[in-house]
Amino acid sequence: MIKNRTKTVTLTFLREQLLYDIKNLAFVEGDVLADEAQHSKHQVQDIGEDGNIDRVTRLLDLALARCREHLYPYTKTDVEGGETLNDVLAETSTYTIAMLVPDDFSITTVQYLEQLIHNLLVYLVLADWMSIANVSNPQSAANWAAKAQDVEDEIKSRLNARTGRVRKFQSPF
């Protein structure tokens, strides 16, 4: 009897790196706005400032939960009982996704998922922020949402394409 073996893989995302990408892209988004859109420009580029960063924190938390759900077959954790959840705003320096994967799961798939998830976290935050702050360019939010959707589709595709060992059985015919 062959026993199914699994390994634990932890994907780690540093808040500092995520914020750097979010702020950088928001700066560029604001910088390309027309000169008459100065107020929108400043709103778009201030994504990482006091007050606004609280919204970004909540969005990152939500986006991470969304990613865990996409990876549900590998991230499923049973409810133990007695859990208490709250919505107190708390900044974390490191976001993690722990996955229990089959023994033959490819490291290249894990590395690809890590890159996709990083981008998804960034794009989801930007899509929401642009829907609020970039009134001078309403298409901006839709563009970032489309990018996020493309990444989500790719994550699903990678997980659906992942198969176990292919075994060919001999046929008497």
Side-chain angles (χ1 to χ4, degrees), residues 16-37:
E16 174 184 305
Q17 294 295 309
L18 292 166
L19 290 178
Y20 176 82
D21 287 350
I22 291 165
K23 290 177 190 178
N24 189 37
L25 290 168
F27 179 83
V28 171
E29 185 84 22
D31 196 46
V32 298
L33 287 173
D35 289 339
E36 57 272 1

Side-chain angles (χ1 to χ4, degrees), residues 3-173:
K3 199 176 203 181
N4 287 338
R5 292 179 294 191
T6 57
K7 294 180 181 178
T8 302
V9 174
T10 303
L11 304 178
T12 303
F13 304 93
L14 300 176
R15 176 181 173 83
E16 174 184 305
Q17 294 295 309
L18 292 166
L19 290 178
Y20 176 82
D21 287 350
I22 291 165
K23 290 177 190 178
N24 189 37
L25 290 168
F27 179 83
V28 171
E29 185 84 22
D31 196 46
V32 298
L33 287 173
D35 289 339
E36 57 272 1
Q38 287 301 312
H39 184 67
S40 286
K41 181 180 287 208
H42 126 73
Q43 291 296 336
V44 166
Q45 292 177 333
D46 284 352
I47 191 169
E49 299 304 315
D50 288 341
N52 298 343
I53 198 69
D54 295 340
R55 177 73 183 157
V56 171
T57 297
R58 293 232 186 248
L59 291 169
L60 281 172
D61 291 344
L62 178 61
L64 188 72
R66 188 171 174 170
C67 290
R68 286 184 180 129
E69 278 299 302
H70 284 311
L71 300 169
Y72 176 78
Y74 306 108
T75 60
K76 179 181 178 264
T77 306
D78 294 332
V79 174
E80 304 266 334
E83 284 87 351
T84 302
L85 303 176
N86 64 56
D87 68 346
V88 174
L89 181 66
E91 289 183 9
T92 180
S93 61
T94 305
Y95 298 91
T96 60
I97 297 176
M99 301 184 339
L100 195 59
V101 299
D103 195 34
D104 63 345
F105 202 90
S106 172
I107 188 63
T108 58
T109 301
V110 172
Q111 292 166 337
Y112 188 43
L113 285 172
E114 178 187 34
Q115 297 301 311
L116 288 171
I117 292 168
H118 176 95
N119 285 337
L120 182 57
L121 296 171
V122 170
Y123 296 164
L124 288 170
V125 169
L126 287 169
D128 183 86
W129 185 255
M130 295 306 160
S131 73
I132 296 167
N134 200 355
V135 294
S136 295
N137 181 9
Q139 186 57 37
S140 176
N143 289 340
W144 290 109
K147 287 178 180 285
Q149 186 61 57
D150 288 346
V151 172
E152 283 181 316
D153 292 346
E154 182 63 15
I155 290 170
K156 290 175 190 172
S157 171
R158 287 300 90 220
L159 294 178
N160 290 335
R162 200 227 156 290
T163 59
R165 292 186 180 104
V166 176
R167 297 176 193 250
K168 292 185 178 182
F169 297 97
Q170 292 183 350
S171 170
F173 302 106

